Every structure is written in C-alpha cells, then in structure tokens.
Amino acid sequence: MIQAEFSDRLHQLLTLLQSPTLDVNNARQQLLQACLDTLHIQRVGLWRFTDEDLMCCEMLLDKDNGFSEEPLLIDRFSFPGYFAALDQRKIIRATDAFTNPATKELAGPFLKPQNIRSLLDVPIYQGDSLSGIICCEQTVVIKHWTDDEMTFVEAVAALYRSSFL
C-alpha cells in the first residue's frame, strides 16, 4: 500500500485538476511540483517525444531555480542505450545514474554538468504509444528510489495522461 503522504498528495492533485479555472500550464506545473515536494528531490522534468527518435524537455522544475521552459533535447542517435531502455516500456530506476546501464551514456554530456546522480524516469503513454516521461532527478548525492516513490510517479503520469492526452 502506498504511503499516506503519497496518497493524500494524489488526492489533492486529482481535486486540483478538476478545477474549471485551472489552466493547462499551471496544472502541468502542479504535477511536477507534487513530484518535487513529495519525493524530496532536486529536479523534475516533463519530457515529450517530438518523434520516435527525439525527446524535448517541455518543462523543468528545479527546487532552487524554479521553472524553466528552455528546450532541452536528447536524441536516439546520441543515446541509443537510453532510448533502448525506454523502448522496453519500463520505469528506469537509476540509483547511480553514472553507472546504470540505461543511463550511463548520459553521464558526460548531461548528468555530470548538471550534477545529477540519480534518475527515476516514468513513462507516459498515449494509447499504446510512449509519448513522454516524467524524469525525477536527485543531484549531488545518490538517492535510493523506493517502490512507493515509483508508484507515486506512475500515478502522477496517469493523471497527466488522463488530463492532457
């Protein structure tokens, strides 16, 4: 069973998303903020596929620097192992993102410059197709992702899907 804190936060999100006055951009921010606050992490991003070989970060929330909509791109040709892991349609749970087989090729160009040590990438589906991910990031220190944290972000991804796709 998911922790009470996680369950309460999901209930709050569901209520918030049903508000007729909530705009789409603010709703997406609230979903990311919930991940940041509930998981006690440094950064969280919403990444969407622009096509099957390219993902763009549509929105990034950093605990210290706030929201950014500066487009970050990663492509299949530069990171084939990472995309192959995403193609498996499973959560990427990288406690040490520098050494995890799915994420280690991101280390030099992406992880080290941002000081990202741990990743939790949860898929977002549109029908049967992978349309994006919610990427939770811990900087400076390694984070051991719990099953409850994974379940929470899966539920946030499901709320995103049901609200925006």
Side-chain angles (χ1 to χ4, degrees):
M1 182 163 188
I2 194 166
Q3 289 181 11
E5 174 190 7
F6 295 170
S7 181
D8 291 346
R9 186 63 173 172
L10 288 171
H11 180 71
Q12 291 169 1
L13 284 172
L14 186 57
T15 301
L16 179 76
L17 290 172
Q18 293 171 347
S19 169
T21 60
L22 185 67
D23 66 79
V24 170
N25 206 38
N26 190 30
R28 293 181 342 157
Q29 289 179 6
Q30 291 298 320
L31 290 171
L32 295 182
Q33 187 72 52
C35 291
L36 190 82
D37 294 344
T38 308
L39 274 58
H40 308 288
I41 55 175
Q42 184 65 38
R43 296 167 33 128
V44 60
L46 173 63
W47 291 76
R48 297 290 313 274
F49 279 91
T50 59
D51 62 42
E52 65 183 30
D53 296 323
L54 183 67
M55 270 200 317
C56 176
C57 183
E58 291 187 349
M59 186 177 285
L60 178 70
L61 172 60
D62 185 292
K63 185 171 76 173
D64 297 329
N65 299 317
F67 279 100
S68 169
E69 292 182 345
E70 179 182 334
L72 301 170
L73 300 171
I74 58 174
D75 66 272
R76 182 178 300 273
F77 306 106
S78 300
F79 308 105
Y82 178 69
F83 276 79
L86 291 175
D87 291 342
Q88 297 299 310
R89 302 174 60 88
K90 295 180 182 171
I91 293 173
I92 296 175
R93 183 183 195 171
T95 299
D96 184 346
F98 293 174
T99 61
N100 183 285
T103 59
K104 66 183 179 183
E105 66 192 4
L106 298 170
F110 185 71
L111 302 176
K112 287 180 183 176
Q114 302 297 323
N115 205 15
I116 298 166
R117 294 304 315 266
S118 300
L119 288 176
L120 178 65
D121 290 350
V122 175
I124 300 169
Y125 297 101
Q126 186 169 6
D128 289 335
S129 299
L130 180 63
S131 66
I133 61 169
I134 294 177
C135 179
C136 300
E137 306 169 351
Q138 182 59 47
T139 61
V140 184
V141 297
I142 286 176
K143 178 169 179 62
H144 296 273
W145 306 103
T146 68
D147 290 343
D148 279 350
E149 289 170 329
M150 288 184 1
T151 300
F152 177 79
V153 181
E154 281 181 301
V156 171
L159 284 173
Y160 178 87
R161 179 180 60 247
S162 66
S163 299
F164 304 113
L165 299 180

